[in-house]
């Protein structure tokens, strides 16, 4: 009974979001611009409303923001199954939350002058003691460097951070959160720049998929570029 009420609540919230964002449930597509590139995707992928340039979605005036293919996007989140890359069931996504078995991605226009993700790695490791950072390990199976570092919010938390160096820059970075009660990692978030359209891509999946990170990045690249009009 509680689960049924929760699902009904989520459906109501999603209906409100779509209507407030100017996305009709009768429409098949959601559209917008990322750094001048027009992208159009089936609304079935959007568990949240897209953020267009203008008033924040948490502000009262956001419903008046320009929308559609001629409007600039600030953030666009989508959820999909893995490895099919098909629209995920939204109720399942909300129920599973950080343990979502598919992949959720967020696209944002690139605001920095280059593709180096060092700034994000530094942010992730902000609370980690300097001496800890000396114990960087290379995981040959993943082709990534990693180090265990302190959680930025919970002082006792310990997470794992992966990254790849390419040409003296950090090309991709991951933050995998630790679940102390179960003594394991439970969610990983990656970030990199999709250079073809100067777009920051942030994506999340379960830690088991870290061994497939290259395939996930490749699938996201193909999915997004195929949607550029």
């Amino acid at each position: 009974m509680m689960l049924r009420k929760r699902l009904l609540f989520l459906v109501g919230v999603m209906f409100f979001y779509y209507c407030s964002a100017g996305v009709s449930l009768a429409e098949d597509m959601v559209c917008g611009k990322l750094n001048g590139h027009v992208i159009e995707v089936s609304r079935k992928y959007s568990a949240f409303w897209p953020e267009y340039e203008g008033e924040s979605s948490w502000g009262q005036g956001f419903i008046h923001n320009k929308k559609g293919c001629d409007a600039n996007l600030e953030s666009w989140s989508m959820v999909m199954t893995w490895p099919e890359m098909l629209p995920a069931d939204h109720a399942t996504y909300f129920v599973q939350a950080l343990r979502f078995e598919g992949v959720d991605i967020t696209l944002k226009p690139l605001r920095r002058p280059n593709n180096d993700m060092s700034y994000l790695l530094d942010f992730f490791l902000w609370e980690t003691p300097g001496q800890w950072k000396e114990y960087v390990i290379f995981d040959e199976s993943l082709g990534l460097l990693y180090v265990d570092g302190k959680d930025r919010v919970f002082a006792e938390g310990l997470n794992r951070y992966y990254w790849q160096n390419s040409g003296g820059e950090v090309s991709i970075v991951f933050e995998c959160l630790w679940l102390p009660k179960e003594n394991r990692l439970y969610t990983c978030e990656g970030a990199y720049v999709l250079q073809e359209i100067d777009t920051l891509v942030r994506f999340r999946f379960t830690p088991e998929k870290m061994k497939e990170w290259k395939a996930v990045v490749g699938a996201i690249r193909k999915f997004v570029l195929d949607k550029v009009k």
Side-chain angles (χ1 to χ4, degrees):
M1 188 66 175
M2 289 298 295
L3 178 58
R4 182 182 178 184
K5 288 182 178 180
R6 185 176 183 183
L7 291 176
L8 289 174
F9 171 76
L10 290 172
V11 170
V13 170
M14 289 165 59
F15 179 82
F16 171 78
Y17 286 164
Y18 275 117
C19 293
S20 299
V23 180
S24 169
L25 291 178
E27 296 174 354
D28 291 330
M29 309 298 287
V30 179
C31 192
K33 282 184 178 180
L34 280 167
N35 281 341
H37 302 276
V38 177
I39 299 179
E40 191 173 48
V41 180
S42 168
R43 65 172 177 79
K44 295 179 181 178
Y45 283 96
S46 297
F48 300 98
W49 66 98
E51 298 247 3
Y52 290 99
E53 189 176 64
E55 184 78 20
S56 167
S57 292
W58 301 109
Q60 294 182 353
F62 85 97
I63 60 174
H64 302 300
N65 290 344
K66 183 178 179 181
K67 307 170 186 67
C69 293
D70 292 329
N72 294 321
L73 287 159
E74 290 294 325
S75 180
W76 192 353
S77 298
M78 290 169 271
V79 294
M80 54 204 66
T81 61
W82 177 257
E84 301 85 2
M85 301 295 280
L86 297 174
D89 179 78
H90 294 172
T92 300
Y93 169 72
F94 285 113
V95 170
Q96 292 181 339
L98 294 180
R99 302 189 188 194
F100 176 55
E101 295 176 356
V103 177
D104 73 74
I105 71 172
T106 298
L107 307 177
K108 295 184 177 184
L110 184 64
R111 304 295 193 196
R112 302 183 69 86
N114 55 53
N115 305 324
D116 190 1
M117 303 301 294
S118 296
Y119 73 96
L120 187 56
L121 178 61
D122 291 340
F123 173 71
F124 284 158
L125 296 175
W126 183 261
E127 295 295 332
T128 299
Q131 60 267 30
W132 289 25
K133 300 175 186 178
E134 299 176 4
Y135 295 95
V136 174
I137 299 173
F138 180 70
D139 188 320
E140 294 185 5
S141 65
L142 298 179
L144 297 171
L145 298 164
Y146 77 87
V147 69
D148 291 330
K150 284 193 173 184
D151 189 274
R152 299 183 307 282
V153 178
F154 303 102
E156 302 303 320
L158 189 65
N159 303 323
R160 178 159 293 180
Y161 300 93
Y162 294 94
W163 68 95
Q164 182 181 63
N165 282 332
S166 179
E169 297 183 347
V170 175
S171 56
I172 190 168
V173 61
F174 293 89
E175 178 182 48
C176 295
L177 303 182
W178 187 257
L179 188 62
K181 291 183 178 180
E182 298 183 17
N183 198 35
R184 67 178 182 85
L185 299 171
Y186 70 98
T187 187
C188 292
E189 180 184 8
Y192 71 99
V193 173
L194 183 55
Q195 299 181 29
E196 290 86 345
I197 57 173
D198 291 327
T199 294
L200 176 64
V201 179
R202 300 190 74 149
F203 60 102
R204 186 179 296 277
F205 52 35
T206 54
E208 293 76 17
K209 297 182 183 66
M210 276 301 302
K211 62 180 181 294
E212 301 177 86
W213 74 267
K214 290 182 180 180
V216 173
V217 169
I220 292 174
R221 176 181 179 276
K222 183 179 187 307
F223 174 86
V224 174
L225 295 183
D226 282 351
K227 302 301 184 290
V228 176
K229 297 181 66 176

